[in-house]
Amino acid sequence: MENFYDAILDALVDVFKMMPILFLAYLLVSYLSHDHNHKFSGFLSKKKRTSVLYASFLGCVPQCGFSSVIADLYSRQKVTLGTLVAVFAATSDEAIPIMIATPSQILNMLLLIGIKIVLALLWGYGIDFVVEIFSKLRKKKVANATAKNLVGEDASKTKEFSHAENDHVANHELSEGHHEHHIHECGHIHSDTCDEHCHHDEQCCVDNIFLDAFKHTMEIAIYVFIATFIINLLINYFTLDIFTTILTDNGIVQILIACVVGLIPNCASSVLLVELFTVGALSFPALVAGLSTGAGVGLIILITKNKHPLKNIGILLLQFAIGVVSGLIIYGIFQLVI
């Protein structure tokens, strides 16, 4: 029973420590999303090339508030996969505060932050580039297939259909001409007088951004508490000595093990990796790999909010691969330099 109560207490502490940053993060997103002056239009929009850049730096904020928020935004199709990967790769959760508290680790901490920002930028922009290429190829394929289907059809029928379609569009535009529309940050287009019958996402119509941010924070806090409690209950049965025994002097094996630990959706994984690094049981490349793999409770939010299980599994595998490759790159550099 002692482990049970400790798990509950630890889960509550983790949630309360995370809530201020999580609230501020959601408040920022809510403000940007409901800014009718459009000063910060498309701050994290899919159409903005700077989204990955912002995510790479936001992920460096201690704890995992921004990774949770951006995972939520990704589940609502507001940000790109590259933006999600960037914030996940940049997130170090509790590692930064722990290293700050240890003066001898300050230089390592600065090096860690610098490397993770570079990796987040490379992976984020790289993935968005690949996704964009596949998207263009898919659209081209669909266009070619459509063109082939039109070959052989009666020209008069095609012309008649075209005229009918143009008339329909023109009539639709005339019917909408008396209403002033604008595009919200949420991606919807609707009139200035948004009411309960607009049938859009309720978040685009909210007026009180503080209440909106608080609602999101409490919703995420519940998910985090449940998951953290279960994970802490399991971790309480293991000690640091078990992991130091498992780890070997082989740098590549350490990287693989660190990436597995990094996938634990809890701040405990980042704490464990830093503790192992501090006592000399884990190498720096393995530390980078492990902290690049996970994103704290951001992974929980992705799994619970994004209703595409296969896509979620694919993202988890992608994160693991990113962590392993990143660790191997840093390992190779260290082998050449040292």
Side-chain angles (χ1 to χ4, degrees):
M1 289 299 293
E2 183 178 353
N3 286 332
F4 181 83
Y5 290 124
D6 286 343
I8 291 179
L9 180 61
D10 290 341
L12 288 172
V13 171
D14 289 343
V15 168
F16 281 115
K17 284 169 59 180
M18 187 189 71
M19 283 183 68
I21 293 179
L22 192 61
F23 176 76
L24 291 175
Y26 269 117
L27 186 62
L28 174 63
V29 172
S30 186
Y31 171 70
L32 296 176
S33 299
H34 303 94
D35 176 29
H36 297 288
N37 294 324
H38 302 290
K39 293 179 182 178
F40 300 96
S41 178
F43 180 69
L44 289 173
S45 171
K46 284 185 175 182
K47 297 180 181 180
K48 294 293 184 180
R49 298 288 184 182
T50 52
S51 297
V52 171
L53 176 66
Y54 295 143
S56 299
F57 282 93
L58 290 175
C60 292
V61 176
Q63 299 186 352
C64 49
F66 282 104
S67 70
S68 301
V69 172
I70 294 180
D72 186 13
L73 292 176
Y74 177 79
S75 69
R76 290 187 270 137
Q77 300 181 349
K78 304 291 180 66
V79 298
T80 63
L81 177 60
T83 303
L84 177 71
V85 167
V87 75
F88 278 7
T91 299
S92 298
D93 210 350
E94 296 289 351
I96 302 303
I98 292 175
M99 296 179 83
I100 290 176
T102 308
S104 61
Q105 297 297 329
I106 297 298
L107 291 178
N108 287 327
M109 180 203 70
L110 295 175
L111 180 61
L112 175 68
I113 293 175
I115 289 175
K116 283 173 67 65
I117 289 176
V118 172
L119 290 173
L121 289 170
L122 292 175
W123 286 113
Y125 280 116
I127 288 173
D128 273 352
F129 178 73
V130 172
V131 171
E132 186 177 352
I133 289 177
F134 276 101
S135 178
K136 288 181 179 179
L137 290 175
R138 192 187 310 111
K139 288 179 181 178
K140 186 177 180 180
K141 184 177 181 181
V142 171
N144 291 336
T146 303
K148 289 180 180 179
N149 291 333
L150 290 175
V151 174
E153 288 188 359
D154 185 51
S156 61
K157 288 184 179 180
T158 304
K159 185 175 182 180
E160 181 181 350
F161 173 79
S162 178
H163 282 304
E165 184 67 18
N166 290 336
D167 291 340
H168 173 74
V169 172
N171 292 332
H172 179 72
E173 289 177 349
L174 286 174
S175 65
E176 297 291 336
H178 299 291
H179 299 281
E180 184 177 356
H181 289 70
H182 60 269
I183 302 177
H184 276 257
E185 306 300 325
C186 62
H188 295 302
I189 303 177
H190 52 80
S191 64
D192 287 325
T193 56
C194 183
D195 55 33
E196 60 181 349
H197 302 296
C198 71
H199 303 298
H200 294 134
D201 187 350
E202 60 179 5
Q203 293 151 1
C204 73
C205 307
V206 70
D207 293 323
N208 192 328
I209 62 173
F210 291 94
L211 182 61
D212 185 39
F214 179 76
K215 184 183 74 172
H216 278 86
T217 301
M218 293 305 298
E219 181 181 359
I220 300 303
I222 293 172
Y223 287 125
V224 172
F225 173 77
I226 295 173
T228 303
F229 165 70
I230 296 173
I231 293 170
N232 285 340
L233 192 62
L234 295 174
I235 290 177
N236 283 341
Y237 288 98
F238 298 95
T239 63
L240 190 65
D241 293 336
I242 294 177
F243 290 96
T244 55
T245 302
I246 295 174
L247 291 173
T248 66
D249 293 332
N250 189 309
I252 297 177
V253 174
Q254 284 194 4
I255 289 171
L256 294 174
I257 295 175
C259 288
V260 173
V261 174
L263 284 178
I264 300 174
N266 184 269
C267 64
S269 61
S270 61
V271 173
L272 177 61
L273 290 171
V274 171
E275 291 294 333
L276 290 170
F277 173 72
T278 303
V279 299
L282 193 70
S283 66
F284 185 81
L287 176 67
V288 172
L291 294 178
S292 298
T293 301
V297 296
L299 294 174
I300 297 175
I301 305 309
L302 175 67
I303 294 171
T304 55
K305 288 285 200 175
N306 191 35
K307 307 303 179 183
H308 301 281
L310 292 179
K311 186 180 289 185
N312 292 338
I313 293 173
I315 292 173
L316 290 178
L317 293 175
L318 177 62
Q319 280 300 125
F320 181 80
I322 286 174
V324 172
V325 174
S326 299
L328 291 175
I329 291 173
I330 304 302
Y331 178 77
I333 294 174
F334 271 51
Q335 289 294 105
L336 293 174
V337 174
I338 299 177

